[in-house]
Amino acid sequence: MRQISFDLDVLRTFTTGIDLGSYAKAADRLGRSTSAVSAQLKKLEEQAGAPIFRKAGRGLALTEAGQTLLGYARRLLDLNDETASAVRGVELEGEVKLGLQEDFGEALLSDVLGRFMRAHPKVRVEVCVARSTELRERVTLGRIDLALMWECGAPTLNAQRVADLPLCWIGPAQDVARAQPGAPLSLVLLDAPCMLRDIASNALDAAGIAWRHAFTSASLSALWAASAAGLGLTVRTPIGLPASLRIIEPQAAGLPALPQIGLSLYRAQTRAQTMAEPALNRLEELLLQAVHETIRRIAAA
């Protein structure tokens, strides 16, 4: 059987069109004509030996073969980009400091830091996991270089909005004993000050629903455990949600709908140019890739 070598440029066009939701946008992003993109996709189907697209209304959707190809295409491109970064950046040295909220610890750290350290083994990485108030202060003072954090308002000039994600009511995956009729809704929330704590309580007050603080902690993992044990509902985005918890549909549960919350990446402006600057740029790139991939998985689920 003849071996097939997929063209990485074609795979990049394929994944870019899926990510942007349009191959016309992909053509603009990649600096190609729409006819060139169409020719690439035709070539890709020929190499795959199976249709990768199907009609869905006025647009296109992926077939089962297309979904399979998409997963492998992302892995091949990630390995290609990691290889190129490693070859170019193996001599980089210095230190970079990254700040994350606890939601992203398990979801992003192992993948992002693993890929980064393989490419830049001489760069030392320091990670600070903290809440948004502390991260904002640290990045403003230049004590960390990059900070990924939740925020309700618009990002400032030294930040970029990565995504807007829905806030969800979250409770135990398994059925637990229900509260008595008329009893206040039990909430499991982080210690004040906390944006999500304020959003949840304000939404319930506006809906005329009585509530009480059943459990508070400074640790997100403690909140997950308390909610999984049935002590009350909590409010977070779907990112980092453990298998022991589930998202609760507000209308079905008689709960108010919750707004979206912004996710922004802040970069320190006081940092002087150093040998580690290219590595810092690469860390930012990997972090954004990982966030977008996490959001894609959540949307697909």
Side-chain angles (χ1 to χ4, degrees), residues 64-97:
E64 185 174 346
Q67 291 285 0
T68 300
L69 179 61
L70 180 63
Y72 281 103
R74 295 196 193 282
R75 290 166 59 187
L76 287 168
L77 290 169
D78 284 345
L79 183 58
N80 174 81
D81 295 345
E82 182 179 324
T83 302
S85 179
V87 170
R88 292 195 302 263
V90 69
E91 296 304 321
L92 289 177
E93 299 182 23
E95 179 183 82
V96 293
K97 299 178 180 180

PDB file of all heavy atoms in Angstrom, residues 64-97:
ATOM      1  N   GLU A  64     -17.355  12.108   9.634  1.00  0.00           N
ATOM      2  CA  GLU A  64     -16.635  11.384  10.691  1.00  0.00           C
ATOM      3  C   GLU A  64     -15.148  11.296  10.341  1.00  0.00           C
ATOM      4  O   GLU A  64     -14.283  11.455  11.217  1.00  0.00           O
ATOM      5  CB  GLU A  64     -17.232   9.983  10.859  1.00  0.00           C
ATOM      6  CG  GLU A  64     -16.632   9.204  12.014  1.00  0.00           C
ATOM      7  CD  GLU A  64     -17.325   7.882  12.251  1.00  0.00           C
ATOM      8  OE1 GLU A  64     -18.420   7.679  11.703  1.00  0.00           O
ATOM      9  OE2 GLU A  64     -16.755   7.052  12.986  1.00  0.00           O
ATOM     10  N   ALA A  65     -14.848  11.051   9.055  1.00  0.00           N
ATOM     11  CA  ALA A  65     -13.448  11.015   8.625  1.00  0.00           C
ATOM     12  C   ALA A  65     -12.798  12.381   8.803  1.00  0.00           C
ATOM     13  O   ALA A  65     -11.624  12.488   9.188  1.00  0.00           O
ATOM     14  CB  ALA A  65     -13.363  10.568   7.165  1.00  0.00           C
ATOM     15  N   GLY A  66     -13.559  13.445   8.539  1.00  0.00           N
ATOM     16  CA  GLY A  66     -13.032  14.795   8.710  1.00  0.00           C
ATOM     17  C   GLY A  66     -12.709  15.107  10.162  1.00  0.00           C
ATOM     18  O   GLY A  66     -11.694  15.752  10.465  1.00  0.00           O
ATOM     19  N   GLN A  67     -13.576  14.665  11.071  1.00  0.00           N
ATOM     20  CA  GLN A  67     -13.317  14.872  12.496  1.00  0.00           C
ATOM     21  C   GLN A  67     -12.053  14.150  12.928  1.00  0.00           C
ATOM     22  O   GLN A  67     -11.239  14.686  13.704  1.00  0.00           O
ATOM     23  CB  GLN A  67     -14.515  14.377  13.326  1.00  0.00           C
ATOM     24  CG  GLN A  67     -15.771  15.201  13.187  1.00  0.00           C
ATOM     25  CD  GLN A  67     -15.686  16.527  13.945  1.00  0.00           C
ATOM     26  OE1 GLN A  67     -14.680  16.833  14.582  1.00  0.00           O
ATOM     27  NE2 GLN A  67     -16.734  17.318  13.851  1.00  0.00           N
ATOM     28  N   THR A  68     -11.878  12.926  12.445  1.00  0.00           N
ATOM     29  CA  THR A  68     -10.670  12.164  12.766  1.00  0.00           C
ATOM     30  C   THR A  68      -9.429  12.858  12.220  1.00  0.00           C
ATOM     31  O   THR A  68      -8.418  13.005  12.915  1.00  0.00           O
ATOM     32  CB  THR A  68     -10.775  10.740  12.179  1.00  0.00           C
ATOM     33  OG1 THR A  68     -11.910  10.078  12.746  1.00  0.00           O
ATOM     34  CG2 THR A  68      -9.518   9.938  12.488  1.00  0.00           C
ATOM     35  N   LEU A  69      -9.531  13.305  10.967  1.00  0.00           N
ATOM     36  CA  LEU A  69      -8.405  13.994  10.342  1.00  0.00           C
ATOM     37  C   LEU A  69      -8.054  15.283  11.091  1.00  0.00           C
ATOM     38  O   LEU A  69      -6.872  15.616  11.262  1.00  0.00           O
ATOM     39  CB  LEU A  69      -8.735  14.311   8.882  1.00  0.00           C
ATOM     40  CG  LEU A  69      -7.663  15.057   8.090  1.00  0.00           C
ATOM     41  CD1 LEU A  69      -6.375  14.235   8.011  1.00  0.00           C
ATOM     42  CD2 LEU A  69      -8.166  15.392   6.691  1.00  0.00           C
ATOM     43  N   LEU A  70      -9.071  16.003  11.572  1.00  0.00           N
ATOM     44  CA  LEU A  70      -8.838  17.258  12.277  1.00  0.00           C
ATOM     45  C   LEU A  70      -7.998  17.039  13.532  1.00  0.00           C
ATOM     46  O   LEU A  70      -7.068  17.802  13.816  1.00  0.00           O
ATOM     47  CB  LEU A  70     -10.170  17.914  12.638  1.00  0.00           C
ATOM     48  CG  LEU A  70     -10.084  19.239  13.395  1.00  0.00           C
ATOM     49  CD1 LEU A  70      -9.402  20.310  12.547  1.00  0.00           C
ATOM     50  CD2 LEU A  70     -11.482  19.703  13.817  1.00  0.00           C
ATOM     51  N   GLY A  71      -8.314  16.001  14.291  1.00  0.00           N
ATOM     52  CA  GLY A  71      -7.545  15.712  15.503  1.00  0.00           C
ATOM     53  C   GLY A  71      -6.087  15.421  15.199  1.00  0.00           C
ATOM     54  O   GLY A  71      -5.182  15.938  15.858  1.00  0.00           O
ATOM     55  N   TYR A  72      -5.851  14.591  14.178  1.00  0.00           N
ATOM     56  CA  TYR A  72      -4.471  14.279  13.809  1.00  0.00           C
ATOM     57  C   TYR A  72      -3.770  15.498  13.220  1.00  0.00           C
ATOM     58  O   TYR A  72      -2.567  15.697  13.438  1.00  0.00           O
ATOM     59  CB  TYR A  72      -4.444  13.118  12.816  1.00  0.00           C
ATOM     60  CG  TYR A  72      -4.624  11.765  13.459  1.00  0.00           C
ATOM     61  CD1 TYR A  72      -5.829  11.083  13.390  1.00  0.00           C
ATOM     62  CD2 TYR A  72      -3.575  11.167  14.167  1.00  0.00           C
ATOM     63  CE1 TYR A  72      -6.000   9.849  13.987  1.00  0.00           C
ATOM     64  CE2 TYR A  72      -3.732   9.934  14.771  1.00  0.00           C
ATOM     65  CZ  TYR A  72      -4.948   9.276  14.685  1.00  0.00           C
ATOM     66  OH  TYR A  72      -5.101   8.049  15.296  1.00  0.00           O
ATOM     67  N   ALA A  73      -4.483  16.310  12.446  1.00  0.00           N
ATOM     68  CA  ALA A  73      -3.883  17.506  11.841  1.00  0.00           C
ATOM     69  C   ALA A  73      -3.377  18.444  12.929  1.00  0.00           C
ATOM     70  O   ALA A  73      -2.273  18.999  12.826  1.00  0.00           O
ATOM     71  CB  ALA A  73      -4.904  18.213  10.950  1.00  0.00           C
ATOM     72  N   ARG A  74      -4.169  18.629  13.975  1.00  0.00           N
ATOM     73  CA  ARG A  74      -3.733  19.508  15.064  1.00  0.00           C
ATOM     74  C   ARG A  74      -2.477  18.955  15.732  1.00  0.00           C
ATOM     75  O   ARG A  74      -1.551  19.708  16.075  1.00  0.00           O
ATOM     76  CB  ARG A  74      -4.848  19.665  16.086  1.00  0.00           C
ATOM     77  CG  ARG A  74      -6.085  20.381  15.564  1.00  0.00           C
ATOM     78  CD  ARG A  74      -6.957  20.835  16.727  1.00  0.00           C
ATOM     79  NE  ARG A  74      -8.271  21.258  16.291  1.00  0.00           N
ATOM     80  CZ  ARG A  74      -8.542  22.431  15.728  1.00  0.00           C
ATOM     81  NH1 ARG A  74      -7.556  23.292  15.491  1.00  0.00           N
ATOM     82  NH2 ARG A  74      -9.785  22.759  15.382  1.00  0.00           N
ATOM     83  N   ARG A  75      -2.422  17.659  15.933  1.00  0.00           N
ATOM     84  CA  ARG A  75      -1.255  17.058  16.570  1.00  0.00           C
ATOM     85  C   ARG A  75      -0.017  17.187  15.693  1.00  0.00           C
ATOM     86  O   ARG A  75       1.079  17.498  16.177  1.00  0.00           O
ATOM     87  CB  ARG A  75      -1.541  15.595  16.889  1.00  0.00           C
ATOM     88  CG  ARG A  75      -2.554  15.403  18.021  1.00  0.00           C
ATOM     89  CD  ARG A  75      -3.071  13.980  18.093  1.00  0.00           C
ATOM     90  NE  ARG A  75      -2.014  13.012  18.297  1.00  0.00           N
ATOM     91  CZ  ARG A  75      -2.216  11.695  18.256  1.00  0.00           C
ATOM     92  NH1 ARG A  75      -3.421  11.208  18.021  1.00  0.00           N
ATOM     93  NH2 ARG A  75      -1.219  10.861  18.457  1.00  0.00           N
ATOM     94  N   LEU A  76      -0.168  16.966  14.382  1.00  0.00           N
ATOM     95  CA  LEU A  76       0.965  17.086  13.467  1.00  0.00           C
ATOM     96  C   LEU A  76       1.486  18.521  13.419  1.00  0.00           C
ATOM     97  O   LEU A  76       2.699  18.757  13.427  1.00  0.00           O
ATOM     98  CB  LEU A  76       0.550  16.632  12.069  1.00  0.00           C
ATOM     99  CG  LEU A  76       0.360  15.126  11.875  1.00  0.00           C
ATOM    100  CD1 LEU A  76      -0.329  14.836  10.548  1.00  0.00           C
ATOM    101  CD2 LEU A  76       1.708  14.398  11.940  1.00  0.00           C
ATOM    102  N   LEU A  77       0.574  19.485  13.377  1.00  0.00           N
ATOM    103  CA  LEU A  77       0.982  20.891  13.333  1.00  0.00           C
ATOM    104  C   LEU A  77       1.628  21.324  14.644  1.00  0.00           C
ATOM    105  O   LEU A  77       2.599  22.087  14.646  1.00  0.00           O
ATOM    106  CB  LEU A  77      -0.223  21.767  13.009  1.00  0.00           C
ATOM    107  CG  LEU A  77      -0.761  21.635  11.575  1.00  0.00           C
ATOM    108  CD1 LEU A  77      -2.098  22.335  11.438  1.00  0.00           C
ATOM    109  CD2 LEU A  77       0.237  22.198  10.571  1.00  0.00           C
ATOM    110  N   ASP A  78       1.083  20.847  15.760  1.00  0.00           N
ATOM    111  CA  ASP A  78       1.691  21.177  17.054  1.00  0.00           C
ATOM    112  C   ASP A  78       3.119  20.650  17.119  1.00  0.00           C
ATOM    113  O   ASP A  78       4.029  21.345  17.588  1.00  0.00           O
ATOM    114  CB  ASP A  78       0.868  20.571  18.201  1.00  0.00           C
ATOM    115  CG  ASP A  78      -0.408  21.348  18.477  1.00  0.00           C
ATOM    116  OD1 ASP A  78      -0.521  22.487  17.986  1.00  0.00           O
ATOM    117  OD2 ASP A  78      -1.278  20.814  19.181  1.00  0.00           O
ATOM    118  N   LEU A  79       3.323  19.406  16.666  1.00  0.00           N
ATOM    119  CA  LEU A  79       4.661  18.826  16.698  1.00  0.00           C
ATOM    120  C   LEU A  79       5.595  19.570  15.743  1.00  0.00           C
ATOM    121  O   LEU A  79       6.764  19.818  16.072  1.00  0.00           O
ATOM    122  CB  LEU A  79       4.595  17.342  16.320  1.00  0.00           C
ATOM    123  CG  LEU A  79       5.920  16.578  16.388  1.00  0.00           C
ATOM    124  CD1 LEU A  79       6.518  16.657  17.788  1.00  0.00           C
ATOM    125  CD2 LEU A  79       5.715  15.128  15.966  1.00  0.00           C
ATOM    126  N   ASN A  80       5.086  19.939  14.579  1.00  0.00           N
ATOM    127  CA  ASN A  80       5.889  20.713  13.631  1.00  0.00           C
ATOM    128  C   ASN A  80       6.318  22.051  14.236  1.00  0.00           C
ATOM    129  O   ASN A  80       7.492  22.450  14.165  1.00  0.00           O
ATOM    130  CB  ASN A  80       5.080  20.957  12.361  1.00  0.00           C
ATOM    131  CG  ASN A  80       5.789  21.866  11.377  1.00  0.00           C
ATOM    132  OD1 ASN A  80       6.649  21.437  10.624  1.00  0.00           O
ATOM    133  ND2 ASN A  80       5.420  23.135  11.363  1.00  0.00           N
ATOM    134  N   ASP A  81       5.363  22.760  14.846  1.00  0.00           N
ATOM    135  CA  ASP A  81       5.664  24.072  15.416  1.00  0.00           C
ATOM    136  C   ASP A  81       6.599  23.952  16.613  1.00  0.00           C
ATOM    137  O   ASP A  81       7.471  24.798  16.820  1.00  0.00           O
ATOM    138  CB  ASP A  81       4.369  24.777  15.822  1.00  0.00           C
ATOM    139  CG  ASP A  81       3.488  25.096  14.613  1.00  0.00           C
ATOM    140  OD1 ASP A  81       3.991  25.034  13.474  1.00  0.00           O
ATOM    141  OD2 ASP A  81       2.294  25.394  14.816  1.00  0.00           O
ATOM    142  N   GLU A  82       6.405  22.896  17.399  1.00  0.00           N
ATOM    143  CA  GLU A  82       7.289  22.679  18.547  1.00  0.00           C
ATOM    144  C   GLU A  82       8.709  22.380  18.069  1.00  0.00           C
ATOM    145  O   GLU A  82       9.692  22.858  18.651  1.00  0.00           O
ATOM    146  CB  GLU A  82       6.766  21.520  19.390  1.00  0.00           C
ATOM    147  CG  GLU A  82       7.581  21.248  20.642  1.00  0.00           C
ATOM    148  CD  GLU A  82       7.011  20.104  21.463  1.00  0.00           C
ATOM    149  OE1 GLU A  82       5.779  19.968  21.529  1.00  0.00           O
ATOM    150  OE2 GLU A  82       7.831  19.349  22.034  1.00  0.00           O
ATOM    151  N   THR A  83       8.823  21.589  16.992  1.00  0.00           N
ATOM    152  CA  THR A  83      10.139  21.268  16.433  1.00  0.00           C
ATOM    153  C   THR A  83      10.846  22.527  15.944  1.00  0.00           C
ATOM    154  O   THR A  83      12.030  22.751  16.232  1.00  0.00           O
ATOM    155  CB  THR A  83       9.992  20.269  15.281  1.00  0.00           C
ATOM    156  OG1 THR A  83       9.350  19.083  15.745  1.00  0.00           O
ATOM    157  CG2 THR A  83      11.361  19.901  14.704  1.00  0.00           C
ATOM    158  N   ALA A  84      10.117  23.364  15.196  1.00  0.00           N
ATOM    159  CA  ALA A  84      10.705  24.595  14.681  1.00  0.00           C
ATOM    160  C   ALA A  84      11.145  25.506  15.819  1.00  0.00           C
ATOM    161  O   ALA A  84      12.229  26.103  15.775  1.00  0.00           O
ATOM    162  CB  ALA A  84       9.703  25.317  13.781  1.00  0.00           C
ATOM    163  N   SER A  85      10.324  25.598  16.863  1.00  0.00           N
ATOM    164  CA  SER A  85      10.665  26.438  18.005  1.00  0.00           C
ATOM    165  C   SER A  85      11.882  25.901  18.738  1.00  0.00           C
ATOM    166  O   SER A  85      12.753  26.658  19.168  1.00  0.00           O
ATOM    167  CB  SER A  85       9.468  26.533  18.953  1.00  0.00           C
ATOM    168  OG  SER A  85       9.775  27.322  20.070  1.00  0.00           O
ATOM    169  N   ALA A  86      11.957  24.580  18.876  1.00  0.00           N
ATOM    170  CA  ALA A  86      13.083  23.974  19.584  1.00  0.00           C
ATOM    171  C   ALA A  86      14.387  24.191  18.837  1.00  0.00           C
ATOM    172  O   ALA A  86      15.420  24.500  19.433  1.00  0.00           O
ATOM    173  CB  ALA A  86      12.824  22.490  19.792  1.00  0.00           C
ATOM    174  N   VAL A  87      14.361  24.036  17.524  1.00  0.00           N
ATOM    175  CA  VAL A  87      15.574  24.202  16.723  1.00  0.00           C
ATOM    176  C   VAL A  87      16.063  25.644  16.791  1.00  0.00           C
ATOM    177  O   VAL A  87      17.255  25.911  16.919  1.00  0.00           O
ATOM    178  CB  VAL A  87      15.318  23.779  15.269  1.00  0.00           C
ATOM    179  CG1 VAL A  87      16.491  24.167  14.377  1.00  0.00           C
ATOM    180  CG2 VAL A  87      15.066  22.280  15.186  1.00  0.00           C
ATOM    181  N   ARG A  88      15.126  26.589  16.716  1.00  0.00           N
ATOM    182  CA  ARG A  88      15.510  28.000  16.724  1.00  0.00           C
ATOM    183  C   ARG A  88      15.852  28.512  18.120  1.00  0.00           C
ATOM    184  O   ARG A  88      16.645  29.428  18.262  1.00  0.00           O
ATOM    185  CB  ARG A  88      14.372  28.860  16.161  1.00  0.00           C
ATOM    186  CG  ARG A  88      14.110  28.660  14.685  1.00  0.00           C
ATOM    187  CD  ARG A  88      13.240  29.791  14.161  1.00  0.00           C
ATOM    188  NE  ARG A  88      11.976  29.875  14.877  1.00  0.00           N
ATOM    189  CZ  ARG A  88      10.828  29.344  14.463  1.00  0.00           C
ATOM    190  NH1 ARG A  88      10.796  28.682  13.321  1.00  0.00           N
ATOM    191  NH2 ARG A  88       9.729  29.473  15.159  1.00  0.00           N
ATOM    192  N   GLY A  89      15.236  27.919  19.145  1.00  0.00           N
ATOM    193  CA  GLY A  89      15.352  28.513  20.471  1.00  0.00           C
ATOM    194  C   GLY A  89      16.123  27.702  21.490  1.00  0.00           C
ATOM    195  O   GLY A  89      16.059  27.993  22.673  1.00  0.00           O
ATOM    196  N   VAL A  90      16.874  26.694  21.050  1.00  0.00           N
ATOM    197  CA  VAL A  90      17.539  25.819  22.007  1.00  0.00           C
ATOM    198  C   VAL A  90      18.574  26.558  22.856  1.00  0.00           C
ATOM    199  O   VAL A  90      18.884  26.157  23.980  1.00  0.00           O
ATOM    200  CB  VAL A  90      18.188  24.626  21.259  1.00  0.00           C
ATOM    201  CG1 VAL A  90      19.367  25.111  20.409  1.00  0.00           C
ATOM    202  CG2 VAL A  90      18.604  23.534  22.222  1.00  0.00           C
ATOM    203  N   GLU A  91      19.125  27.670  22.357  1.00  0.00           N
ATOM    204  CA  GLU A  91      20.147  28.401  23.100  1.00  0.00           C
ATOM    205  C   GLU A  91      19.578  29.515  23.973  1.00  0.00           C
ATOM    206  O   GLU A  91      20.335  30.224  24.638  1.00  0.00           O
ATOM    207  CB  GLU A  91      21.168  28.986  22.122  1.00  0.00           C
ATOM    208  CG  GLU A  91      21.956  27.939  21.348  1.00  0.00           C
ATOM    209  CD  GLU A  91      22.688  26.960  22.261  1.00  0.00           C
ATOM    210  OE1 GLU A  91      23.220  27.408  23.303  1.00  0.00           O
ATOM    211  OE2 GLU A  91      22.705  25.761  21.952  1.00  0.00           O
ATOM    212  N   LEU A  92      18.267  29.694  23.971  1.00  0.00           N
ATOM    213  CA  LEU A  92      17.687  30.762  24.774  1.00  0.00           C
ATOM    214  C   LEU A  92      17.862  30.484  26.268  1.00  0.00           C
ATOM    215  O   LEU A  92      17.755  29.343  26.716  1.00  0.00           O
ATOM    216  CB  LEU A  92      16.200  30.919  24.461  1.00  0.00           C
ATOM    217  CG  LEU A  92      15.852  31.506  23.093  1.00  0.00           C
ATOM    218  CD1 LEU A  92      14.350  31.535  22.914  1.00  0.00           C
ATOM    219  CD2 LEU A  92      16.428  32.901  22.941  1.00  0.00           C
ATOM    220  N   GLU A  93      18.124  31.543  27.007  1.00  0.00           N
ATOM    221  CA  GLU A  93      18.279  31.431  28.456  1.00  0.00           C
ATOM    222  C   GLU A  93      17.481  32.551  29.123  1.00  0.00           C
ATOM    223  O   GLU A  93      16.970  33.445  28.463  1.00  0.00           O
ATOM    224  CB  GLU A  93      19.756  31.524  28.848  1.00  0.00           C
ATOM    225  CG  GLU A  93      20.620  30.422  28.260  1.00  0.00           C
ATOM    226  CD  GLU A  93      22.071  30.523  28.703  1.00  0.00           C
ATOM    227  OE1 GLU A  93      22.304  31.145  29.760  1.00  0.00           O
ATOM    228  OE2 GLU A  93      22.941  29.996  28.009  1.00  0.00           O
ATOM    229  N   GLY A  94      17.400  32.484  30.453  1.00  0.00           N
ATOM    230  CA  GLY A  94      16.701  33.531  31.186  1.00  0.00           C
ATOM    231  C   GLY A  94      15.583  32.960  32.039  1.00  0.00           C
ATOM    232  O   GLY A  94      15.563  31.774  32.353  1.00  0.00           O
ATOM    233  N   GLU A  95      14.657  33.825  32.405  1.00  0.00           N
ATOM    234  CA  GLU A  95      13.565  33.442  33.296  1.00  0.00           C
ATOM    235  C   GLU A  95      12.268  34.101  32.836  1.00  0.00           C
ATOM    236  O   GLU A  95      12.267  35.271  32.453  1.00  0.00           O
ATOM    237  CB  GLU A  95      13.882  33.884  34.720  1.00  0.00           C
ATOM    238  CG  GLU A  95      12.805  33.561  35.734  1.00  0.00           C
ATOM    239  CD  GLU A  95      13.144  34.098  37.111  1.00  0.00           C
ATOM    240  OE1 GLU A  95      12.897  35.305  37.343  1.00  0.00           O
ATOM    241  OE2 GLU A  95      13.662  33.337  37.933  1.00  0.00           O
ATOM    242  N   VAL A  96      11.189  33.345  32.853  1.00  0.00           N
ATOM    243  CA  VAL A  96       9.869  33.906  32.564  1.00  0.00           C
ATOM    244  C   VAL A  96       8.939  33.517  33.701  1.00  0.00           C
ATOM    245  O   VAL A  96       9.041  32.434  34.279  1.00  0.00           O
ATOM    246  CB  VAL A  96       9.308  33.418  31.208  1.00  0.00           C
ATOM    247  CG1 VAL A  96      10.134  33.961  30.063  1.00  0.00           C
ATOM    248  CG2 VAL A  96       9.249  31.903  31.141  1.00  0.00           C
ATOM    249  N   LYS A  97       8.030  34.439  34.029  1.00  0.00           N
ATOM    250  CA  LYS A  97       7.108  34.236  35.147  1.00  0.00           C
ATOM    251  C   LYS A  97       5.678  34.298  34.633  1.00  0.00           C
ATOM    252  O   LYS A  97       5.274  35.275  34.004  1.00  0.00           O
ATOM    253  CB  LYS A  97       7.339  35.299  36.217  1.00  0.00           C
ATOM    254  CG  LYS A  97       8.740  35.256  36.811  1.00  0.00           C
ATOM    255  CD  LYS A  97       8.957  36.355  37.835  1.00  0.00           C
ATOM    256  CE  LYS A  97      10.362  36.306  38.416  1.00  0.00           C
ATOM    257  NZ  LYS A  97      10.594  37.364  39.414  1.00  0.00           N
TER     258      LYS A  97
END
